[in-house]
Amino acid sequence: MEYPNAVIFILDAGGTGFKFSVMHNAHEIIEPFTIPSVAPTLEEVLKKIIDGFHQCEEKCGSKATAISFSFPGPADYPNGIIGDLANLPTFRGGVALKQMLENEFNVPVFINNDGDLFAYGEALGGLLPEVNALLEQQGNPKRYKNLLGVTLGTGFGAGIVIDKVLLRGDNSAGGEINRMRNPLYSNTSAEDSLSIRAVRRVYAREAGIIFDAAPEPFDIYKIAKGDTEGDKEAAIKAWDEMAIALADVLANAITLIDGLVVIGGGLSGAWPMFMPRLIEKMNEPFTDFNGNELSRMEINAFNLMEPDAMIKFTEAKGKMIKVPFSDQEVWYDPHKNIGVAVTKLGTSSAVAIGAYAYAIHQLGLR
């Protein structure tokens, strides 16, 4: 994934900040910097973006080969037109961001959703190659090609990679997992139980306090662990409710995708509080009308954050079987397993790698 002549300018855009970086040979060559994204007018927000990329030029001492970055949706990503954004309210009616930047910098510009680029980065340089390397070390011929990447933070997002190809969808809406139905509150979206505000809301409800008085998720995590004073039962309930909602959404999604799952975003750091329950619920069977159990998924989910589970997941489990009417033998593994893990690259780094790799691919350099 190293291309010595390509210098890619990167932006990870959010509702409160624009984080800029530059990648060369698949490595960041400047210290990432952030410009606040809030401004009273669209023109001022756009000038912040232009100024940020000009600062990238100054800091790395080079012109860009291409610009590649994540930006919130809704959007027409292939054409680089941003729609009406909740977190950046000055964007209304369609903003031709790609063409504006191509006019300014005279280089190709590629824009994607952050969930898409997170998944792409993890598929090319994160969880997917790591698991496949461990499979090889254990003498297991199994290899994984597909990945679902989800982000838990201010919102709930996702991206899907199928055999190294990023799924975009015909309407730039592939992987919009946040619009799945909430299994706990059926009149709401999944995001209402899978976000920062959701964790705080459940804690406030269980603790009998108003939402504005609820701690931030990191503090709720510490309370649940017993490291900080607070309502421990309410904190545990907040993470448990998130785990139950996430398990249902992931089980539905991975039934269609059949691949590894990697979790990123600000809430992913609390995985010790929600991952065991998440895996338990993903593997919990259905019960049919006759009282018989039926597997929730055709596949079995493993918690890859547990070293013993990772070893069991990657070890060779199959056997050689005879080919009828011949002396040949072939390998057969009847086990159908997928693994769930938290990003080890870090969400921002995975997004940057995904943005870099996507630009390289679109430029025809691979």
Side-chain angles (χ1 to χ4, degrees):
M1 204 164 63
E2 296 185 358
Y3 301 90
N5 296 321
V7 176
I8 311 299
F9 289 2
I10 307 291
L11 164 62
D12 186 358
T16 58
F18 294 141
K19 183 178 180 180
F20 293 88
S21 186
V22 178
M23 294 194 72
H24 178 248
N25 282 349
H27 300 288
E28 288 183 322
I29 60 171
I30 68 167
E31 186 70 27
F33 62 95
T34 300
I35 296 175
S37 56
V38 177
T41 67
L42 175 62
E43 182 179 350
E44 289 174 274
V45 175
L46 296 177
K47 285 182 176 178
K48 285 173 178 279
I49 295 172
I50 292 171
D51 178 63
F53 285 125
H54 278 301
Q55 287 188 48
C56 288
E57 285 182 331
E58 295 169 8
K59 290 176 182 291
C60 76
S62 173
K63 297 288 186 182
T65 305
I67 293 172
S68 183
F69 63 97
S70 71
F71 213 84
D76 175 355
Y77 287 113
N79 292 311
I81 299 173
I82 307 302
D84 296 353
L85 304 185
N87 291 333
L88 289 168
T90 57
F91 283 74
R92 286 290 182 270
V95 179
L97 191 56
K98 170 184 168 73
Q99 191 60 56
M100 179 198 77
L101 292 170
E102 288 182 345
N103 291 345
E104 177 73 19
F105 293 95
N106 296 308
V107 297
V109 174
F110 309 108
I111 309 176
N112 278 286
N113 179 274
D114 61 343
D116 290 340
L117 294 180
F118 168 71
Y120 201 42
E122 288 285 345
L124 298 180
L127 181 66
L128 201 61
E130 177 184 300
V131 167
N132 284 333
L134 290 172
L135 289 165
E136 185 175 7
Q137 287 176 21
Q138 295 229 58
N140 190 335
K142 175 77 174 180
R143 296 294 181 270
Y144 286 84
K145 299 180 179 179
N146 307 318
L147 179 135
L148 169 66
V150 300
T151 55
L152 299 163
T154 304
F156 178 45
I160 298 166
V161 179
I162 305 296
D163 198 8
K164 296 184 179 181
V165 177
L166 179 64
L167 175 68
R168 299 291 297 279
D170 291 327
N171 297 287
S172 299
E176 291 296 335
I177 200 169
N178 63 306
R179 296 305 176 92
M180 284 192 175
R181 187 176 297 279
N182 189 326
L184 298 175
Y185 309 96
S186 61
N187 62 322
T188 68
S189 73
E191 187 171 87
D192 282 325
S193 284
L194 298 170
S195 58
I196 289 171
R197 67 181 181 274
V199 174
R200 295 184 67 210
R201 174 180 52 78
V202 175
Y203 181 89
R205 183 192 71 205
E206 296 296 315
I209 60 177
I210 62 171
F211 176 84
D212 288 344
E216 291 299 320
F218 180 67
D219 295 311
I220 296 173
Y221 170 62
K222 291 194 294 182
I223 293 168
K225 286 179 36 177
D227 294 341
T228 299
E229 289 188 7
D231 190 325
K232 186 173 181 178
E233 289 187 10
I236 291 172
K237 177 64 175 178
W239 295 113
D240 187 66
E241 189 164 301
M242 192 189 87
I244 293 170
L246 184 59
D248 191 72
V249 171
L250 290 185
N252 287 334
I254 213 64
T255 294
L256 298 177
I257 298 163
D258 186 16
L260 299 179
V261 179
V262 61
I263 301 171
L267 297 179
S268 64
W271 69 264
M273 292 307 306
F274 68 78
M275 186 71 84
R277 182 72 159 148
L278 168 67
I279 300 300
E280 175 193 338
K281 296 299 288 185
M282 287 182 73
N283 291 325
E284 189 174 76
F286 291 127
T287 303
D288 68 18
F289 290 110
N290 295 316
N292 301 313
E293 288 190 349
L294 175 69
S295 297
R296 172 69 177 82
M297 305 179 291
E298 192 171 328
I299 48 185
N300 190 49
F302 280 70
N303 177 2
L304 300 187
M305 300 306 292
E306 294 181 357
D308 290 346
M310 176 66 90
I311 292 170
K312 187 176 180 181
F313 180 74
T314 54
E315 67 185 4
K317 308 178 189 67
K319 61 183 179 179
M320 300 299 295
I321 61 171
K322 286 189 60 99
V323 176
F325 309 115
S326 80
D327 295 327
Q328 294 175 294
E329 288 187 328
V330 295
W331 180 265
Y332 171 57
D333 184 356
H335 303 91
K336 297 183 179 182
N337 300 322
I338 57 104
V340 183
V342 169
T343 176
K344 293 182 181 178
L345 292 173
T347 307
S348 255
S349 292
V351 169
I353 290 169
Y356 172 83
Y358 187 78
I360 293 297
H361 178 75
Q362 293 298 110
L363 293 168
L365 299 178
R366 57 190 292 171

